[in-house]
Amino acid sequence: MITRRKLLERLGHLGGLGATFSAMQALGLMSKARAAGMPALPPTLGKGKHVIVLGAGISGLVSAYELEQAGFLVTLLEARERVGGRAWTVRDGDKIEMNGEETQTARFSDGAYFNAGPARIPSFHTGLLGYADKFGVPLEVEVNSSRSAYVVADDGTKMRQRTAVNDMRGHIAELLSKAVSQGALDQQLTPADKEKLLPFLRFYGDLDEKGSFAGTARSGFDALPGAGPTFATSYPPRPLSALLANQQLPMTLFDDVFYMQATMVEPVGGMDRIHAGFDRNLKHPAVRGAEVTRIRDTAKGVEVVYRDKGSGVMNTVSGDYLICTIPFPVLTSIDTNFSKPVKQAIAGVVYDYSNKIAFDAPRFWEKEDQIYGGITFVGGPTSLIWYPSAAIHSARGMLLACYASGPIAADFQKRPIAEQIEYARGVVEKVHPGHGKDLANGIAVNWHKIPYSLGPWPAWNPAQAGRQEGNIDTPAFRLLQKPDGRIYFASAALSQTPGWQEGGIASAHYQVTALAARVTAQAMVEPRYARVAA
C-alpha cells in the first residue's frame, strides 16, 4: 500500500516542488492559494528552521514577515542603513550617494519629502494596500492626472490637457459622424446601429445639431461665468492640425493605462512608511549596514558572510535556506557558488535607466495655473513635471521636474549632476515663465548609479524601451524562478511588473510558498526521529 508520505516522496522525485505542492493541496494538506496573495501557512510550519533573507526591499520584507508568521527563524540582512530598497523617501538632511558623483545633501523645507523611487499605488495593487492596512499606515489620494496640467510641444507651445482631450474628441466625433451620415460605414453598421451611434457621437464630441464641432465648454472657459448676466464663453476649438502637431498629444491617454487609472493612493508622509511598518512588525528587524560579500550553498545548509559597514567587522551567519532579493547587477559582484547556468542567467540580466529630479518650491502651480496634482508632459530628456498631491495650499511643495526612463535617461545621466538640475529648471521655466528661479535645492537621482541598486528594473524586453510591464518570458527569467539548491530568488524583477512594488510582493509570495511546500514535503518524508531532533 502506498501511503501519502510515499506518494509525495515519489512526486517530489519525479515532478519537483510544484508537483509536490499541488498534490498536498489536492490531499488537503495545504491551503489552496487565493486569487491574490499566498496560501495561509501554519504558524508552526517553520519551527526549527532558519531562513536568511538578503535585501530589505519590498520582496525581502514580505519574505521575512511571512516566514516569521509561519514560525521560521529569519535573519534579514540589508546593506543600506534603511529598509525599502527602491522605495526611497528622501527628507531634509538625507545624503544622496551615487557612483562616480559627489554626495548631494537634501535641504528641504519642514515636512517636505521626495519619493525618489515609487510614488503612487494603483487601486488594484491589493497586496501592497493590504499590508499598509495591516500595519496601520495611513494613505491619501495621489492625484495622478489633472486636466489643468499641460501637454507641451517640442516648440514650447502648450495647451491644457482638458483642451487637448475634449477638442480632439470633438474633431474625431465630427469626422465619424460625417462618415456614418454619408454612408461610408454602411457595410459595418446596421441601420439600427447608425440610429443609436449618431446621438452618442453628438454627446461624446459635444457636436451641434448638424453634427459639427464648434467648440465645447468641456475644454475650459475663455471668460468665466460671473454674477448676474455675466455669461461664460468657451475657447474657440483648436484646429485638428494644431492638436496633431503637439508631440505630447498621446500622453492625454496616460490615465487610460490600467496601471495609471484613478484612484491612485500614496502613504501619508512618504512611500517608505509602508516599509517601516514591515520592519516594526518583524520579530527580528533587518540588520542594517550589512554588506554581503560571500554566499555559499552547502550540503547542510547555507552560509552568508557580510561586512558590518560601521565597524568593518566580517560576520558569518548560517541557515537552512536563503531567499535572495539582491538586484542582479549587484549580485554579480558577490562571491557565490551558484550553479553555472544560474550565474550566467544573473550576469546576463541588463537593467534599465531611470532618473528623477526634484525641487523644493513655492506652490505657484496652484495659485497661478490651478494645477492640483497631476502631470504636465514635456517630452525630451526630462519627460514630465509632476505636481505634488499632498499638503495642498501649504507654503511649499516638492516639484518633480524629471522622471524619465529608457534610452533618453541613459543619455541624460551622462551629464554632470549640476547640468541635469539646471536643464530641469529650464524646462519648468518654459512651462511656468518666471518661476525657474523659485526652484530651490534641486536633487538628482540617477538610478543606474545608486549603490546596491544599479538600475531601477531589468530591461527584459529591450525592444520595448521604457516599458517594464509585459509578457516577460525569457530562459533566464524562467530559470531564476526556480531554487538553486537551497537558494531562492525573489524580487519585482522576477514578476511581470518589475517596475511596481506589487510585483515584488507577488514574487516574494511565490517563493515563500515554494519554500513552505518544500519544508512540508520534507517533514512528511523524513523519519520521525529526524523530525523530533530538528
Side-chain angles (χ1 to χ4, degrees):
M1 178 179 177
I2 298 178
T3 65
R4 290 191 298 186
R5 180 186 301 173
K6 286 291 185 184
L7 175 61
L8 289 169
E9 184 177 12
R10 293 182 182 180
L11 279 171
H13 286 310
L14 294 172
L17 294 177
T20 305
F21 186 48
S22 297
M24 290 195 311
Q25 288 182 334
L27 292 171
L29 301 173
M30 200 84 172
S31 301
K32 289 189 176 181
R34 299 184 293 274
M38 56 177 286
L41 303 178
T44 59
L45 173 68
K47 186 177 181 180
K49 300 293 184 183
H50 180 196
V51 182
I52 303 169
V53 178
L54 304 182
I58 190 65
S59 288
L61 290 165
V62 169
S63 297
Y65 177 78
E66 295 296 349
L67 288 167
E68 283 192 344
Q69 296 302 298
F72 290 87
L73 171 64
V74 179
T75 298
L76 175 59
L77 303 179
E78 169 55 51
R80 296 179 170 98
E81 297 298 334
R82 61 175 179 82
V83 300
R86 286 185 304 169
W88 180 20
T89 302
V90 179
R91 298 180 176 83
D92 183 56
D94 287 348
K95 305 292 186 184
I96 293 84
E97 296 178 348
M98 298 193 292
N99 295 331
E101 303 289 354
E102 292 187 7
T103 299
Q104 303 170 76
T105 300
R107 295 300 180 202
F108 300 155
S109 52
D110 290 345
Y113 60 87
F114 161 40
N115 284 319
R120 52 195 164 200
I121 307 173
S123 58
F124 66 95
H125 280 186
T126 55
L128 187 60
L129 292 171
Y131 283 119
D133 184 37
K134 181 188 292 286
F135 301 141
V137 178
L139 304 174
E140 59 190 354
V141 172
E142 190 274 322
V143 182
N144 203 41
S145 177
S146 169
R147 291 291 173 89
S148 296
Y150 299 99
V151 284
V152 183
D154 291 352
D155 63 4
T157 59
K158 63 184 183 183
M159 69 179 79
R160 298 275 190 177
Q161 288 186 32
R162 66 170 64 93
T163 301
V165 168
N166 290 294
D167 282 10
M168 196 67 191
R169 279 175 56 171
H171 288 299
I172 290 173
E174 178 182 348
L175 290 171
L176 185 53
S177 179
K178 288 179 178 177
V180 171
S181 298
Q182 294 170 6
L185 298 176
D186 283 355
Q187 291 185 346
Q188 288 78 26
L189 297 172
T190 66
D193 289 339
K194 290 173 62 175
E195 185 177 353
K196 296 174 183 176
L197 180 58
L198 287 170
F200 171 78
L201 290 175
R202 282 196 291 273
F203 180 77
Y204 177 77
D206 201 13
L207 308 181
D208 61 23
E209 289 300 317
K210 296 180 181 179
S212 298
F213 178 62
T216 172
R218 299 171 184 170
S219 294
F221 295 123
D222 189 18
L224 293 172
T230 305
F231 304 114
T233 58
S234 301
Y235 285 111
R238 295 286 182 100
L240 180 59
S241 58
L243 293 165
L244 295 174
N246 190 311
Q247 293 83 358
Q248 299 306 309
L249 182 66
M251 298 311 296
T252 58
L253 302 175
F254 173 73
D255 58 342
D256 288 334
V257 176
F258 186 44
Y259 295 95
M260 300 299 173
Q261 290 176 9
T263 300
M264 308 285 282
V265 298
E266 60 184 356
V268 175
M271 186 60 71
D272 65 354
R273 297 301 82 201
I274 297 177
H275 307 78
F278 272 103
D279 206 41
R280 285 195 307 271
N281 285 276
L282 289 176
K283 298 170 186 175
H284 298 90
V287 179
R288 307 185 191 199
E291 185 177 64
V292 173
T293 61
R294 188 172 186 265
I295 302 171
R296 286 292 182 270
D297 181 18
T298 72
K300 295 182 179 181
V302 293
E303 182 182 273
V304 174
V305 177
Y306 69 92
R307 181 178 68 89
D308 181 278
K309 291 167 60 179
S311 66
V313 173
M314 304 300 291
N315 299 284
T316 300
V317 59
S318 299
D320 297 293
Y321 301 98
L322 184 147
I323 294 182
C324 181
T325 74
I326 296 174
F328 297 133
V330 180
L331 192 54
T332 56
S333 64
I334 296 174
D335 177 14
T336 71
N337 68 339
F338 299 156
S339 65
K340 184 177 179 180
V342 166
K343 281 191 173 185
Q344 290 175 336
I346 291 171
V349 180
V350 177
Y351 270 48
D352 208 341
Y353 295 79
S354 187
N355 306 318
K356 280 190 171 184
I357 298 174
F359 295 95
D360 185 349
R363 293 174 175 258
F364 54 81
W365 53 88
E366 294 175 355
K367 295 180 179 179
E368 297 182 12
D369 295 89
Q370 300 82 53
I371 298 175
Y372 296 92
I375 297 171
T376 282
F377 296 100
V378 300
T382 57
S383 185
L384 53 75
I385 301 170
W386 191 348
Y387 309 93
S389 304
I392 286 173
H393 279 179
S394 59
R396 302 181 71 83
M398 295 303 300
L399 185 71
L400 191 69
C402 168
Y403 181 21
S405 305
I408 58 171
D411 288 338
F412 191 62
Q413 62 113 41
K414 296 176 184 176
R415 304 185 187 205
I417 294 300
E419 184 179 325
Q420 293 180 39
I421 291 172
E422 288 310 303
Y423 185 97
R425 185 194 305 276
V427 171
V428 174
E429 172 65 24
K430 289 179 181 178
V431 177
H432 300 282
H435 291 293
K437 65 181 181 345
D438 295 331
L439 307 180
N441 305 319
I443 290 291
V445 172
N446 304 147
W447 275 99
H448 217 74
K449 303 174 186 175
I450 298 296
Y452 309 118
S453 288
L454 302 182
W457 48 73
W460 289 111
N461 297 316
Q464 303 176 28
R467 290 192 58 187
Q468 66 267 30
E469 300 92 27
N471 296 315
I472 303 169
D473 190 14
T474 70
F477 182 82
R478 287 200 174 223
L479 177 63
L480 294 171
Q481 308 290 334
K482 303 173 183 178
D484 191 25
R486 293 172 175 264
I487 297 172
Y488 294 73
F489 300 97
S491 70
L494 292 173
S495 76
Q496 291 298 322
T497 52
W500 293 93
Q501 296 182 87
E502 193 77 0
I505 293 173
S507 180
H509 285 175
Y510 181 86
Q511 298 298 2
V512 168
T513 301
L515 177 54
R518 180 174 184 167
V519 170
T520 302
Q522 287 179 341
M524 296 191 68
V525 299
E526 287 174 351
R528 180 168 299 181
Y529 67 84
R531 295 203 305 275
V532 172

